[in-house]
Amino acid sequence: MAGSETSTRPFDVAMYLRTPEDAAAYLSAALEENDPAVFRRALGDVARGRSMAAVADASGLGRESLYKALSRSGNPSLDTVQRVVSALGLTLAVVPAASADNR
């Protein structure tokens, strides 16, 4: 086998977020990081996995503005986040925080 090369490609999580449950778990884990940039990147990953063009159409946002909002330097408004989440067939929810007092 000398001289044979193995072809590899970079890992892309978007390829593995196939179901709404996968997407919801991924986005929930991103929210737990308490870092808006982590959530923004995760939302972009899910949108890419579903086709940015399709998400843009379903959300009523322009494709270019969606790419910009979910880019590393983007800063999407809550309205944009809600529209994208809805276009992905998901919903945002607020739940009580787990604390020592609530256990």
Side-chain angles (χ1 to χ4, degrees):
M1 290 204 126
S4 69
E5 294 182 25
T6 301
S7 176
T8 62
R9 59 182 173 211
F11 175 79
D12 185 0
V13 70
M15 295 177 58
Y16 299 94
L17 300 171
R18 298 287 182 216
T19 68
E21 293 79 13
D22 292 341
Y26 183 62
L27 291 172
S28 293
L31 279 173
E32 290 175 6
E33 295 296 317
N34 290 321
D35 182 345
V38 171
F39 180 74
R40 184 181 60 248
R41 282 193 303 272
L43 190 58
D45 291 338
V46 175
R48 279 186 308 101
R50 301 278 181 90
S51 164
M52 282 286 225
V55 172
D57 286 344
S59 67
L61 299 166
R63 196 179 68 173
E64 292 294 323
S65 59
L66 182 59
Y67 274 111
K68 184 178 178 180
L70 300 179
S71 72
R72 287 194 180 271
S73 62
N75 188 15
S77 67
L78 179 58
D79 178 63
T80 297
V81 170
Q82 288 177 314
R83 289 168 72 174
V84 171
V85 168
S86 179
L88 294 169
L90 303 170
T91 187
L92 294 176
V94 176
V95 297
S99 69
D101 297 337
N102 293 339
R103 291 182 192 174

